[in-house]
Amino acid sequence: MRTPTAASPLPTVLLTGFDPFGGDSLNPSWQAVQALHGKRIAGHRVVAAQLPTVFDASRRELARLLRAHRPALVICVGQAGGRAAMSLERIAINVNDARIPDNAAAQPVDTPVVADGPAAYFTSLPVKAMLQALQRAGIAAEVSQTAGTFVCNHVFYGLMHELATRRGFRRTRGGFVHVPWLPGQGQPHMATEELVRGLRVAVAAALTTTTDIRSGAGAIS
Ligand code: PCA
């Protein structure tokens, strides 16, 4: 259990979303996590923060947020246009391979996220329990086997690497959720309210599940 402080009497859940990228004017991940900022879920307080859709700068900002908030649970959220369901990502790989430039015009091809880092990390979220909770709540959800090779996978890998290698994060659970477009961005889509409800359910399930039917967390070399 984290020690409560005067400023934050409850342990923290950190939710991140991204700024718009690739010509879009909004990003559903930010719309959804922003709506949960300050809310209480299963005895925890949500802190929502935005990451830039930029290689490296996104990881630096996430590392800063981890040190500042010392969260018990971290879920990074990103947009995955073309997907029809909330995707609970199982695995982050040590590859940057951008099909389009990021928001700082960088387009790395086949570079590692972390030089000499392990090939991949499994999520430490209880994804099967979260999936079940989402389906019971009537929200379209799936476990996904790839977060791609753009900034979302980069942040997911960076998150798992920080949690695995930095002191003080041994008990912090973390992972990544991709969300579909919003109405107006393209098909298929999910409404913001549905995404917010889904994230609430997913966070609550993660906080109240101590074991999971999963393939195991940690580094894969
Ligand atoms: N989606 C992108 C990066 C930012 C976002 O919201 C991705 O899937 O990599």
Side-chain angles (χ1 to χ4, degrees), residues 18 21 27 29 53 78-79 147 150-153 178:
F18 285 97
F21 69 101
N27 189 319
S29 66
T53 303
Q79 161 184 319
F150 193 48
V151 181
C152 287
N153 172 75
H178 263 122

Side-chain angles (χ1 to χ4, degrees), residues 88-90 123-136 141-145 205-206 209 211-216:
L88 311 173
E89 299 294 350
R90 192 196 293 270
T123 186
S124 54
L125 298 179
V127 285
K128 291 292 171 68
M130 292 163 74
L131 178 68
Q132 205 172 58
L134 286 164
Q135 288 173 338
R136 283 195 181 135
E142 65 194 4
V143 171
S144 160
Q145 317 305 338
T209 305
T211 53
D212 191 28
I213 339 140
R214 65 188 159 111
S215 44

